[in-house]
Amino acid sequence: MTSPARCRSLSCALLFAALALATLLCAGRASAQDISGALDQFTQGNYGATEAALGELAVSGSPAAAGIVQALADGKLVFSNALPRKVFIETDKGLLDPLTMQPVPDPGPVKPVRVNNRIRRAIEAASGTLSLTSPDAATRLSAAGAVLRTRDEAALPALEKALAKETDRHVKSAMTLARSAIVIGMDGVPPEERIKAIEVVGAEGNQDALAVLRGLPDNALPEVKEAAAKEIAGIQHSLAMWDVVQNVWYGLSLGSVLLLAAIGLAITFGVMGVINMAHGEMVMLGAYTTFVVQQAIRTYDPGLFDASLIIAIPLAFLFTGLIGVIIERTVIRFLYGRPLETLLATWGISLILQQAIRTIFGPTNREVGAPSWMSGSFDIGQLSITYGRLWIIIFAMLVFAALLAVLRLTRIGLEMRAVTQNRRMAASMGIRTNWVDAMTFGLGSGIAGMAGVALSQIDNVSPNLGQGYIIDSFLVVVFGGVGNLWGTLVGAMSLGVANKLLEPYAGAVLGKIALLVIIILFIQKRPRGLFALKGRSIEA
Amino acid sequence: MLNLFTQARRIAGRAAVGAAAVALAAASVPAHAQETIKVGVLHSLSGTMAISETTLKDTVLFMVQEQNAKGGVLGKKLEAVVVDPASNWPLFAEKARELISKDKVAVVFGCWTSVSRKSVLPVFKELDSILFYPVQYEGEESERNVFYTGAAPNQQAIPAVDYLMENEGVQRWVLAGTDYVYPRTTNKILEAYLKSKGVKDEDIMINYTPFGQSDWQTIVADIKKFGSAGKKTAVVSTINGDANVPFYKELANQGIKATDIPVVAFSVGEEELAGIDTKPLVGHLAAWNYFQSVDTPENKDFIEKWRAYTKNDKRVTNDPMEATMIGFNMWVKAVEKAGTTDPDAVIDALIGVSVPNLSGGYSTMMPNHHITKPVLIGEVKDDGQFDIVEQTPGLIVAQEWSPYLEGSKDLIADWRKPLNCGNFNVKTGKCGGAGQ
C-alpha cells in the first residue's frame, strides 16, 4: 500500500475537490443521489451532526446509503484524522470508499464514528426507512416495525411511497399501522384522517398502541381527543384483564423456581428430617458445574454451546450427589436424632463450601451464557412469555415427575420410604439402612445440583447464590407439609402466585413481608403445613 | 422451629466468622522488628460484600507495594494489616478497634456500605484515627476523622439525570433501588431535583426491592407499562450488588432495549458487568468518576501496573479502585507534608492536598473532607466496558449536605479553623443541630 499511496491520494484529493464542487453546486437543494454532504457530517465528531447525516442518508435514495448505515450500526464506519477528513468503511480487507465500495489508499490513523443511544435510534429509523422498498417481504415487515417504533416524521414520504406499491397483506397492514402512528403525533393533520389513524392504532390493543395514543399533541381538536380517549379506555380495560393472567404466569414462573430450589430439600429435610443448612450450597455447586461445563465447551468445542445445559444437568446431579454422599458419610450420620447439632454442622459445611468456591473461582460473579433456545420470547394475546422462563417451568415439572417416579416405582425408592417410616422394621427386613440414608441424602443433594443448572440462567453465579434460596426453600417445604412431595409442589406454586399477585399492590418489599405474615398465621393454625402426613412415624 | 433456626444460624455465623477473623489477625502480626508504618485494610473478604470489597483490599496492597518501591514514607516502609470484617456490620466496629488500638495503624482504608461506615464512626472518633472511605454514597455526612474519596450525589446522580434530560429528552423517570439508606436518600434528592426542574408527580415512579431480589418479572413489566405513556422514559437505578444481574437479564428477556428505555446505574461498574452477557445491554448507562476505558496515559500506566501486580492480564479496574488510589496518595502526601503520622497533624494537613486522578486532572481534598472529581457518563459496550459519552468540562466540588433536602440545605461542613465543624448551620450560625 505504500508506493501507490501517494498518487492515489492525489486522485483522492481530486475526487474530493470534485465532490466539494458538486456539494457547492447542489447547495440548498441536495440532489437525490448526492450524499457527500451527509458523509462530511460524520467526520465532525459530534452526535448532532451524525444524527442529521443519518436523516439525510435515509431520504437520499442513494444506493450506497443502506451499506453506510449498516456500517455505522456495526461500528465499522471510520473517519481519518488527517485533514481533509474523509469517511471510510472498515472491512477485513482494509478500508473501502463508502460510495464506490472500492479499496482506498491508507489515509493514516482513523477512528470510528461514535454512536450513542440517540444515534442508535436514528440508525434504526434510517435503516427502517431505507429497507421499506426491499424486495424481501420479511425485511419490509421488520422495516415497517422499525418505523413504527421510532415514529420518525421524516420517514413518512418514503413510507407512503412504499405503501402505495405494497402488495403483501401483512406488510401492508404493518405499514398502515406505522403510518397511522406517525400521523397521530404530527401537527397539522386533518381531524378525519387523524381519527382514522387513531382507530387503526387502537385496534392493536397493546401497550405500544397505548404509548402512541397518549402521545397525541395537546393542541388536537376535542373530537380527536375524544376518539383517542375512547380507544385508550378500551385498551386499558382489556389490558387490565391480561394483567391478571400475566401476574399468574409470573407467579407460576416464580413458583417453579421455588419448587426447583426446594425439591431437593423436600428429600433431605422432608423425607429424612435432616435440617440441612448446606442445601443452598448444593444449588450453588450445580450452578458452578454449569459454568465449568460451559468453559470447557467454549475452549474445546464452541459448536456444542447450545447443548451445554443438557450436558451440565447429569454432571451437576452426579457431582453434587457425590458431595452429598460424602457429607452424609462423614458428618451427618453421626448426628441423626440431634437436630440442633445437625443444624450447626450443616451451617458450618455451607460456610466451608462457600469459602472454598470463593477461593477457587474468586468472589466475583461468573458468566453463564444462555443457549439460543432459551433466549427470546413470544406473545399469546397480550401475554408475553419468555422461552427461558417457560423452559424452567417445564424442567421443574420434569424433575418433580422424575423424583416422584423414583420414590414410587424403583426399589431404592421403596427402601427409602420404608426406612423413613420405620427404620428398625426396615433394618430387620434386611435393608441396609446406612446405605439407604447415604443414597437418599445424595439424591436430595443431586436434585439441588440440577436446580442449580436452571437457576444459573436467572441468577448470579456467585458463592452467595445458595444463601438467597435457603430460607425460601425451608418456607416452601414447611408450608407444603414436611415429608410430602405434592405438598412441596402445591406450596411452591401457591407461594409464587400469591407473591406475584400481592406485589403489584404492595410493592416488592411489603409484598414479601405480607406473605411471611400470612405464612406465620397459617403455620399457627396448621403446624404441619398444607398436607400433613398422618401416621405413627411422624409422631415418633 | 423457624425461630430456633435463625437463632442457631446467627450463633453459628458469629462463631465461624470470629474464628476466621482470629486466624487472619494472627497471620498479620509482623515477624520482623524493623520499624514500619502500619496501614489498616478494613474490607470484607468473605460474606455477601466480598464480591466488591476484595478488589479494594488488593488495591491497597498494590499501592503499599508501589509506595515501598519508591522508598516508603518518611524513610520507613509501609506495612499493610489486613482484617476481614466478613460483611458483618458490628464486626466492622470490632475490627476497626482492633486495627487502631492493637495493631496501632496510622490510617485505615475501608468500608463499602454506608451501614458499615456508620458502624465504625464512633470507634474512629473515640480513638482519633483516620478512615478513607472510597465508595460513592448518599452524602448528608461530614466527619472529622473520615475522608470521603467516593462521589457525593451531586458528583454522580445529578449529572447523570442532567445528561438524560438534555441528550435523550427524558421526561418520565423510574427511580428503582434496593431498600436501604443509599438508594432512599439518593432518590429523595433526585425526586426533589426533578421536581425543581418541573417534572410532575405522575411522571416519577419510585420502586424499592429487598436485598438480593432475584425475581424481577413484575417490576420490569411495570417499568414497561410506565414507559408506555407516550413520553420518553428512563430508569435511574440504585439497585445494589447481586440484584443487578437478574435485573438486567430480565430487561433483556422482556426485550427492553436501551434505545427504548435507557437505564442509568450508579452501582454497576466493570466488575459487576463481568458476570453478565452484555450484548443485550449495549447502550444502558452508568455514571461514575472513572471508567477503565478512560483514555489517558495515567490510566494506561495504572492498568498496566495493576495487571502486572495481580498477574492477571484481564483484571478490570473500576471507580472505587481509583478512589482508593487517590485516597492513598493523598494520605502519603499529607504525611510527608506534616512530617509525622500523628492523626491530628495529618487530618489538618490533608485539606488542600492535590493528587493526580486517572482521568487526566488533579483531585483536591476540600475542607468538607470530600474531593473534587470529574463526572463521566458511559454507555455499556458489548465487551463489558464503557464508552464514555459525556464528561463534565471541569471538576465538581462535592455537596455533602444536599441543597435539595429540607433538613440539610442550610448546612455546610468546614473542618478548617476557626469553623472546625461538619454541620454548620448558616441560618442559625451554630454548629450541630439539624441533619444529625
Side-chain angles (χ1 to χ4, degrees), chain A residues 274 276 327-336 342 346 441:
Chain A
V274 174
N276 180 15
I327 292 174
E328 203 276 342
R329 285 289 86 186
T330 51
V331 180
I332 291 173
R333 70 168 164 147
F334 304 109
L335 299 170
Y336 283 123
T342 318
T346 50
F441 199 84

Side-chain angles (χ1 to χ4, degrees), chain B residues 180-195:
Chain B
Y180 74 107
V181 55
Y182 167 65
R184 284 213 175 245
T185 314
T186 306
N187 285 347
K188 225 189 278 170
I189 293 172
L190 283 181
E191 197 187 352
Y193 179 72
L194 287 173
K195 283 188 182 155

Side-chain angles (χ1 to χ4, degrees), chain A residues 47 114-118 120-121 124 149 151 207-208 210-212 214-215 243 246-247 249-251 253-254 257 269 275 277 340 343-344 347-348 351 354-355 358 363-370 374-377 384 386-389 455-462 464-465 467 469-471 474-475 478 500 503-504 507-509 512 519-520, chain B residues 1-2 4-6 8-9 11-14 16-17 45-51 54-55 163 166-168 179 207-210 212-219 221-222 224-225 227-232 241-246 249-250 253-254 257-260 262 271-278 282-285 379-380 387-390:
Chain A
Y47 297 123
R114 292 184 39 165
V115 169
N116 67 359
N117 281 329
R118 209 165 113 199
R120 267 183 217 105
R121 270 193 298 277
E124 197 183 1
R149 267 195 303 283
R151 300 198 285 281
Q207 223 144 63
D208 296 331
L210 216 51
V212 174
R214 283 179 178 153
D243 258 5
Q246 183 90 61
N247 279 332
W249 166 257
Y250 289 156
S253 161
L254 176 63
V257 171
F269 174 58
I275 299 181
M277 296 301 294
L340 204 59
L343 193 154
L344 287 177
W347 177 252
L351 287 178
Q354 273 179 41
Q355 204 60 29
R358 199 170 277 134
T364 47
N365 292 331
R366 295 282 135 185
E367 183 190 334
V368 172
M374 278 188 82
S375 320
S377 64
S384 152
T386 52
Y387 283 109
R389 295 275 174 179
L455 295 188
S456 72
Q457 290 300 310
I458 53 171
D459 210 337
N460 298 288
V461 180
S462 76
N464 306 320
L465 170 70
Q467 286 187 318
Y469 290 99
I470 184 75
I471 298 293
F474 270 102
L475 263 185
V478 171
K500 284 294 152 186
E503 208 179 296
V509 181
K512 188 127 196 176
I519 290 177
I520 290 170
Chain B
M1 161 78 219
L2 274 175
L4 169 85
F5 184 61
T6 32
R9 177 182 151 172
I11 296 166
R14 282 271 175 90
V17 159
L45 310 179
S46 55
T48 48
M49 292 312 297
I51 179 172
T54 309
T55 309
Y163 172 82
E166 282 155 26
N167 288 280
E168 303 248 351
D179 201 0
N207 182 293
Y208 291 106
T209 40
Q213 171 86 359
S214 64
D215 192 289
W216 289 91
Q217 299 180 90
T218 317
I219 291 155
D222 278 352
K224 213 172 165 182
K225 214 184 291 170
S228 67
K231 289 183 189 167
K232 180 75 187 164
D242 279 1
N244 275 304
V245 174
K249 279 188 180 172
E250 192 62 41
N253 259 339
Q254 298 202 15
K257 283 186 290 182
T259 44
D260 310 325
E271 293 251 318
E272 285 75 12
L273 286 182
I276 326 181
D277 174 18
T278 48
V282 168
H284 285 308
L285 303 126
E379 283 186 1
V380 176
D387 183 22
I388 298 160
V389 290
E390 171 120 329

